[in-house]
Amino acid sequence: MKRFSQSPAVTVRRPAVLAVAAVAAVTALAACSSGSSSSSSSAAAGSPASTSTSASGSATGIKKGLVVYFIPKDTQNPYEVLADAGGAKALAELGGKVVVSSGTADTAAAQIPSIQAAIQAHADAIVIAGNDPSALCPSLEQASAQGIKIVSFDSDVSCGSSPSHLFINQANTESIGTSEVDILAKEIGSTGQIAILSAAASATNQNSWIAYMKQELKKYPNMKLVSTVYGNDDPATSLTVLQGLLSAYPNLKGIISPTTVGIQASAQYLDTHKSLLKKITLTGLGLPSQMKPYVEDGTVKEFELWNPSNLGYLAGYAAAALASGTATLSTGSAFTAGTLGSYKVLAPTAGVGPSVVLGPPYVFDKSNIAQFNF
C-alpha cells in the first residue's frame, strides 16, 4: 500500500468562501508525510512522455505565466478543496497560477459565472468538475472559441464534439462501481436490501458509477437495491435523506455512499446510533482523514478513494500541457505530470471522449488507515 504525499499550494479563490471542514481538509493535506507519491496510470506505464521533467519538477516546453481556472463542484467540499490545492501545486511548479472559482451549491448555474469569469480574464485553460453533463457545454464552447483549453476532472461533461476536451478520470469508472458492490457484498453475506446515497442527481461521475453498481448487482441475486437517494454533497441534506431511507426501509442491510460528504454524514449518524450498526453496513468513497475515527471504532469496516490532491495535480499538468501545445487530445499523446510520472491520452469510448486515468482507488480499513493523512 503506497503512502500519498502532497504539499499545499496557495490558491486564489473567487469567491473565497470555505467551510471549517474544508479548511481542516487543507490542514490535513499539509500534514502528509514525505513518502513517495508516484501513481501513474497503467496506460502510461513504460511509455516515454513528450516532455521531460527537470529536478525542480518543471516540465520543459510549458509556457510560463499560465493562468488556469479550477472550477470545482463547489468551494466548500473538503474533497474539492484538496483537488484544487493539488492543481495549484502543479501550476506553481510550472511557473503559473490557479484561480479557484465556483459557487457554494452543486449546480451548473453556480458554475457558469465562473466559466464566464475565465473567459473575461483570458485564462489559458479551465479545469472543471461538472455539476451537470450538458448544461455547462454552451458556456464551455464559448471559452473554447476564445482559445481556452478545456479539461474536466472528477465529474465529466458530455459536450459531444464541441467543445473538445480532456477528461481526467480518478480511476477506471467501471472498477469504482463494481468494487463498491463487491465490498458491500462481502460484508453482508451477499444478501439483503441495500440503498445508494449519492451526491447530485445530475452528477456525471456518480451516475456512471451507479450504472456499473446496478450491473454488478446482477452477480448477487439475493441483494436488492431498494432505493437511490441524493444528498447533493450537502451534510444536512445527506443526513435528511439517510434518515428517510432508514424510516422507509426498516430491513435495510447495507448502504453505499459514493461521495465523501454522504459517507461521512452517514458514518457520523450511525456512530451516534449504535443499535443500527447491528443490522446496517456502510461503505463508499471517503476521505481517510474524515473516516479514520469511524473505521477505528468499527462503524465502517472498509471504504475506498484515491488521493484528491493527486487528481488535481494531474489535471493541472494536463491543462498546462494542452495550453502550451506539448500535448494534444490525440490518442497516445503523452505528457509528464511532475512527480506522478508519464501519462498517455486514451482513445475515446462510448460516452467518454479523450481521457487520462489517475490510477486504481485505495481500499482503507483498520489495518492501514493510519498511514493516510489526506
Side-chain angles (χ1 to χ4, degrees):
M1 184 67 66
K2 299 177 183 176
R3 291 186 70 177
F4 289 111
S5 174
Q6 289 285 359
S7 58
V10 176
T11 61
V12 180
R13 300 188 179 277
R14 300 176 185 171
V17 181
L18 289 176
V20 172
V23 176
V26 174
T27 303
L29 178 61
C32 287
S33 67
S34 59
S36 170
S37 61
S38 176
S39 176
S40 60
S41 68
S42 59
S47 301
S50 58
T51 60
S52 60
T53 305
S54 68
S56 64
S58 297
T60 58
I62 299 298
K63 296 177 181 178
K64 297 297 182 182
L66 292 173
V67 176
V68 179
Y69 267 63
F70 265 62
I71 305 177
K73 288 182 176 180
D74 67 73
T75 59
Q76 295 183 319
N77 185 330
Y79 173 100
E80 302 285 337
V81 174
L82 288 168
D84 296 339
K89 181 178 187 294
L91 267 296
E93 290 177 356
L94 297 171
K97 74 172 185 177
V98 159
V99 176
V100 179
S101 179
S102 192
T104 58
D106 284 24
T107 64
Q111 292 181 308
I112 289 174
S114 296
I115 300 173
Q116 296 301 322
I119 295 172
Q120 294 171 10
H122 304 288
D124 296 287
I126 289 172
V127 177
I128 188 166
N131 280 328
D132 186 280
S134 58
L136 298 167
C137 294
S139 294
L140 291 174
E141 188 168 359
Q142 291 178 26
S144 179
Q146 297 298 314
I148 300 173
K149 299 300 182 182
I150 309 298
V151 175
S152 62
F153 77 142
D154 187 49
S155 185
D156 198 11
V157 292
S158 302
C159 296
S161 59
S162 182
S164 298
H165 70 282
L166 180 66
F167 175 42
I168 307 299
N169 198 354
Q170 48 268 61
N172 177 274
T173 302
E174 180 177 357
S175 68
I176 294 172
T178 57
S179 62
E180 294 297 285
V181 171
D182 292 339
I183 287 174
L184 186 59
K186 178 181 67 175
E187 294 185 11
I188 66 173
S190 304
T191 183
Q193 294 182 348
I194 71 167
I196 297 171
L197 196 169
S198 184
S202 60
T204 308
N205 57 347
Q206 299 281 317
N207 291 334
S208 298
W209 299 333
I210 291 170
Y212 282 113
M213 288 181 196
K214 291 177 178 178
Q215 288 188 22
E216 189 71 0
L217 279 170
K218 295 177 182 178
K219 293 170 52 176
Y220 304 102
N222 294 323
M223 286 173 61
K224 182 181 179 182
L225 177 62
V226 294
S227 183
T228 300
V229 296
Y230 302 93
N232 296 325
D233 267 349
D234 174 72
T237 305
S238 297
L239 176 59
T240 297
V241 297
L242 170 67
Q243 292 171 324
L245 275 177
L246 298 176
S247 176
Y249 301 98
N251 296 320
L252 195 65
K253 198 170 180 181
I255 298 171
I256 299 173
S257 187
T259 160
T260 58
V261 176
I263 193 174
Q264 185 193 25
S266 300
Q268 187 175 35
Y269 183 81
L270 293 176
D271 194 50
T272 56
H273 295 75
K274 299 292 189 182
S275 61
L276 293 172
L277 294 175
K278 298 177 181 179
K279 60 178 183 177
I280 294 179
T281 296
L282 172 67
T283 190
L285 302 176
L287 288 167
S289 60
Q290 293 179 334
M291 297 299 294
K292 181 180 178 181
Y294 307 117
V295 171
E296 290 183 340
D297 72 7
T299 300
V300 175
K301 294 182 177 65
E302 289 183 331
F303 67 98
E304 293 183 303
L305 201 67
W306 43 90
N307 187 337
S309 62
N310 281 353
L311 180 65
Y313 184 82
L314 175 57
Y317 264 90
L322 291 174
S324 302
T326 60
T328 70
L329 299 180
S330 300
T331 301
S333 179
F335 63 95
T336 297
T339 57
L340 294 180
S342 176
Y343 285 80
K344 278 186 176 182
V345 176
L346 303 177
T349 60
V352 179
S355 67
V356 170
V357 177
L358 173 64
Y362 283 63
V363 177
F364 305 100
D365 58 25
K366 190 176 291 188
S367 71
N368 64 22
I369 196 164
Q371 302 174 30
F372 299 89
N373 299 303
F374 60 86

